[in-house]
Amino acid sequence: MGVLGAPGRVLQCINKCHPPSFPKSPPISFSKSSNFSILLLPPLVPQTTMVLSKTASESDVSVHSTFASRYVRASLPRFRMPENSIPKEAAYQIINDELMLDGNPRLNLASFVTTWMEPECDRLMMQAINKNYVDMDEYPVTTELQNRCVNMIAHLFNAPLGESETAVGVGTVGSSEAIMLAGLAFKRKWQIKRRAEGKPTEKPNIVTGANVQVCWEKFARYFEVELKEVKLREGYYVMDPLKAVELVDENTICVAAILGSTLNGEFEDVKLLNDLLTEKNKETGWNTPIHVDAASGGFIAPFIYPDLVWDFRLPLVKSINVSGHKYGLVYAGIGWVIWRSKEDLPDELIFHINYLGADQPTFTLNFSKGSSQVIAQYYQLIRLGFEGYKNVMENCRENMLVLKEGLEKTDRFNIVSKDNGVPLVAFSLKDHSRHDEFEVSDYLRRFGWIVPAYTMAPDAQHVTVLRVVIREDFSRTLAERLVLDIQKALQALDALPPSKVSEEKCQNGTIVKKTELETQREVTRIWKMYVQQRKTGVC
């Protein structure tokens, strides 16, 4: 049995303070039929119009839509704190909108830094975001997790530890801080030795390749250490061990080798450096040590190049740094430095504090820092294990080969990087007569890709390359898509006028630039050809 009523005849009272009134109406009745009872409503009597809205107040606190508020009509001060507060929703929306202009981290192929982690790890990091890592007495479990990470990494690097011996190392905010700490340890050990021998300590130096990351230059400048660089040459873009050992003298606090050059991903020959330096130490009695900057390669070599000898298996390697936020697969903000033994870290560099509740040893450049990245590193180490890290690194290497082969098929590039090393592809144009690598890099941004172009270090600065870093979240599909977009970029650039001044060779071998008029005519001709090719119909 159903009940039907006339549509549109129900009035809701919106203003409870002034309910509408109706004249007396006949009583409601039902008309019965065979299947339905029909509800008969009395006719609606028109009443005076009701005002259901009110004048908006000067304050828009009650306005729920940020985009309907005054906060999007006026710009906020950029370099001074505003006088008045704004709602949290407006603050969030304003910042979020501006951040939309940032690049997509997943498409940032310039960076070695991790841009994706599993949601479970993201949750752990958020839960620990308010924990200060330095409060070891208050957060003993976090401290324990850091110690576990140090020992796991030390064993990964073949540190000579006994059964019950713990590793010597510390978590840092990245490899830059780790290198500063390792450099300070080398400098202090050298100073102690020189003073014991009654020799001056005013001119310490470090020997590196010119391809080192800028943090080495920072260390040298901040802590007054001379940086003696082995220059590069075309076709050889890493430190030459022979030339490095030649630069070593009695004031050399260490030789720094790189396991994964920033420029082309290549691993330097640490074993050859160790052998050559051992011979020189025997001849001179200097006992110059080695530090390995494994920021990029430290979490790669143990898994896919296990036979490569570069770590604590070499007796002169006294310390190693590695970036947890690169191929350690953690978001930015975590690095590690491991020493071979306690003797390689002078006690006088370690501070002891007790105002946080207990005696705590500390050896860092900063003090407070978050615990999230330490916890995330421990998550990755136990979640992936050796098998998982090996699978990730093998996938990165395979996708690197896919990208390399795709670029080679275009026949437009020379591949500068090596197959063995950090999974990246560094490549340069074969023909620079019309356009250069910087223009290719700029054009690829139109597709969303961030691919850096840069010049090599001295003495190979005349070589310009593009570089694509293959991370865990860079799939084969993205590699194939990137090759297609590079081809599109080249086709578009080829259709444009050449960016470089056109030149012609005379018969006597001298080079004569075209006149301004000739150049203008050439540009006009090419633009006409370009526009003609782009036309799809007649207006």
Side-chain angles (χ1 to χ4, degrees):
M1 181 74 76
V3 179
L4 298 180
R9 300 294 300 278
V10 178
L11 179 64
Q12 294 180 342
C13 180
I14 299 175
N15 194 331
K16 295 181 179 180
C17 297
H18 304 282
S21 58
F22 296 95
K24 268 193 165 183
S25 302
I28 298 174
S29 61
F30 291 89
S31 174
K32 294 186 178 180
S33 64
S34 58
N35 295 322
F36 297 98
S37 291
I38 301 176
L39 175 65
L40 300 178
L41 297 177
L44 181 64
V45 180
Q47 299 293 311
T48 56
T49 304
M50 296 171 55
V51 179
L52 302 179
S53 63
K54 61 179 181 179
T55 305
S57 64
E58 294 182 359
S59 172
D60 56 5
V61 174
S62 63
V63 176
H64 294 292
S65 173
T66 299
F67 293 114
S69 69
R70 62 186 173 89
Y71 301 107
V72 296
R73 300 177 200 157
S75 60
L76 292 172
R78 295 178 62 193
F79 304 116
R80 292 180 181 273
M81 185 182 294
E83 293 294 330
N84 302 314
S85 303
I86 63 175
K88 58 183 183 295
E89 297 85 1
Y92 169 84
Q93 196 66 55
I94 290 168
I95 297 171
N96 183 69
D97 289 352
E98 195 165 1
L99 287 174
M100 289 193 301
L101 299 175
D102 269 346
N104 185 337
R106 294 279 304 277
L107 300 182
N108 178 11
L109 307 182
S111 177
F112 293 83
V113 176
T114 297
T115 53
W116 178 87
M117 295 186 72
E118 292 175 327
E120 291 78 7
C121 192
D122 289 346
R123 289 202 296 271
L124 282 173
M125 295 182 73
M126 289 306 299
Q127 290 167 10
I129 200 166
N130 59 351
K131 290 184 180 180
N132 188 355
Y133 166 77
V134 77
D135 294 341
M136 299 178 184
D137 193 54
E138 287 78 359
Y139 308 120
V141 176
T142 301
T143 302
E144 170 64 17
L145 298 187
Q146 188 248 195
N147 294 337
R148 293 178 191 176
C149 289
V150 166
N151 281 272
M152 288 181 184
I153 295 170
H155 284 289
L156 191 66
F157 295 166
N158 295 291
L161 300 173
E163 286 295 326
S164 59
E165 190 177 0
T166 58
V168 180
V170 66
T172 63
V173 294
S175 275
S176 293
E177 184 189 3
I179 285 169
M180 303 284 177
L181 298 178
L184 284 171
F186 281 119
K187 182 180 178 183
R188 186 55 55 90
K189 283 211 68 174
W190 175 81
Q191 288 174 332
I192 293 171
K193 181 174 180 287
R194 297 282 290 181
R195 287 173 186 146
E197 296 172 348
K199 296 178 180 179
T201 61
E202 288 78 23
K203 296 181 179 180
N205 68 70
I206 287 181
V207 176
T208 70
N211 57 317
V212 292
Q213 214 261 2
V214 69
C215 60
W216 284 99
E217 299 178 32
K218 289 181 179 180
F219 169 78
R221 189 175 302 178
Y222 296 165
F223 297 103
E224 298 180 334
V225 176
E226 179 189 1
L227 195 65
K228 300 173 74 171
E229 294 183 338
V230 177
K231 303 302 181 185
L232 310 184
R233 61 181 184 273
E234 187 170 355
Y236 197 92
Y237 303 114
V238 293
M239 180 179 70
D240 185 338
L242 287 168
K243 294 183 178 180
V245 173
E246 290 174 0
L247 292 177
V248 171
D249 58 30
E250 62 178 348
N251 293 321
T252 302
I253 63 175
C254 77
V255 180
I258 303 177
L259 195 76
S261 172
T262 302
L263 300 180
N264 68 344
E266 188 174 351
F267 292 165
E268 293 181 346
D269 194 340
V270 187
K271 186 178 185 307
L272 178 58
L273 176 64
N274 179 88
D275 295 342
L276 293 172
L277 199 53
T278 298
E279 291 299 319
K280 186 157 189 172
N281 285 340
K282 287 180 180 178
E283 296 172 3
T284 60
W286 292 336
N287 198 27
T288 305
I290 295 173
H291 174 85
V292 180
D293 179 357
S296 299
F299 277 110
I300 297 172
F303 303 108
I304 58 177
Y305 306 113
D307 296 330
L308 181 67
V309 180
W310 62 274
D311 51 20
F312 290 121
R313 287 170 287 182
L314 300 172
L316 291 183
V317 174
K318 302 299 182 182
S319 56
I320 300 172
N321 70 274
V322 65
S323 290
H325 59 222
K326 292 181 180 177
Y327 289 95
L329 308 180
V330 179
Y331 292 139
I334 186 67
W336 305 92
V337 57
I338 311 295
W339 282 273
R340 185 183 192 89
S341 65
K342 293 180 180 179
E343 290 72 27
D344 298 305
L345 177 57
D347 288 335
E348 58 192 78
L349 292 178
I350 301 174
F351 291 84
H352 292 265
I353 59 171
N354 61 9
Y355 52 81
L356 293 176
D359 181 70
Q360 299 174 8
T362 176
F363 180 41
T364 57
L365 293 183
N366 63 323
F367 195 63
S368 295
K369 72 172 182 178
S371 298
S372 296
Q373 271 72 13
V374 172
I375 294 169
Q377 184 71 83
Y378 183 68
Y379 171 91
Q380 292 289 48
L381 290 173
I382 66 168
R383 159 76 175 94
L384 295 174
F386 194 95
E387 177 190 25
Y389 269 96
K390 182 178 180 180
N391 289 338
V392 170
M393 302 312 154
E394 286 178 343
N395 286 344
C396 289
R397 187 175 185 276
E398 289 175 8
N399 290 331
M400 176 267 290
L401 294 175
V402 169
L403 178 60
K404 176 193 170 187
E405 291 167 4
L407 293 172
E408 288 175 332
K409 288 178 181 178
T410 67
D411 199 31
R412 299 290 298 270
F413 299 102
N414 292 316
I415 305 299
V416 177
S417 53
K418 307 292 185 183
D419 288 349
N420 294 334
V422 177
L424 63 80
V425 183
F427 52 102
S428 60
L429 286 167
K430 290 182 178 180
D431 181 11
H432 291 84
S433 61
R434 296 177 60 83
H435 305 287
D436 59 26
E437 289 81 2
F438 294 98
E439 291 169 288
V440 176
S441 173
D442 182 64
Y443 205 94
L444 284 174
R445 283 182 175 265
R446 304 185 186 192
F447 299 100
W449 302 106
I450 302 174
V451 179
Y454 54 89
T455 57
M456 287 292 191
D459 286 334
Q461 60 265 46
H462 59 284
V463 179
T464 306
V465 299
L466 294 151
R467 187 193 68 202
V468 174
V469 177
I470 310 300
R471 299 188 303 270
E472 178 187 15
D473 55 352
F474 188 80
S475 64
R476 178 169 184 151
T477 301
L478 287 178
E480 293 170 347
R481 181 70 201 181
L482 177 59
V483 173
L484 293 175
D485 288 343
I486 288 175
Q487 290 176 317
K488 290 179 184 178
L490 292 173
Q491 291 171 0
L493 290 171
D494 288 343
L496 294 173
S499 61
K500 299 190 176 184
V501 177
S502 184
E503 298 177 342
E504 292 181 349
K505 280 193 175 181
C506 296
Q507 291 182 353
N508 60 4
T510 59
I511 296 176
V512 179
K513 292 183 179 180
K514 288 184 177 181
T515 64
E516 187 176 80
L517 180 60
E518 288 173 333
T519 301
Q520 185 176 355
R521 287 175 177 171
E522 179 72 2
V523 171
T524 303
R525 182 186 68 80
I526 293 175
W527 266 111
K528 284 182 178 179
M529 183 174 65
Y530 172 71
V531 172
Q532 190 65 32
Q533 291 174 347
R534 301 284 291 183
K535 282 185 177 179
T536 57
V538 179
C539 296

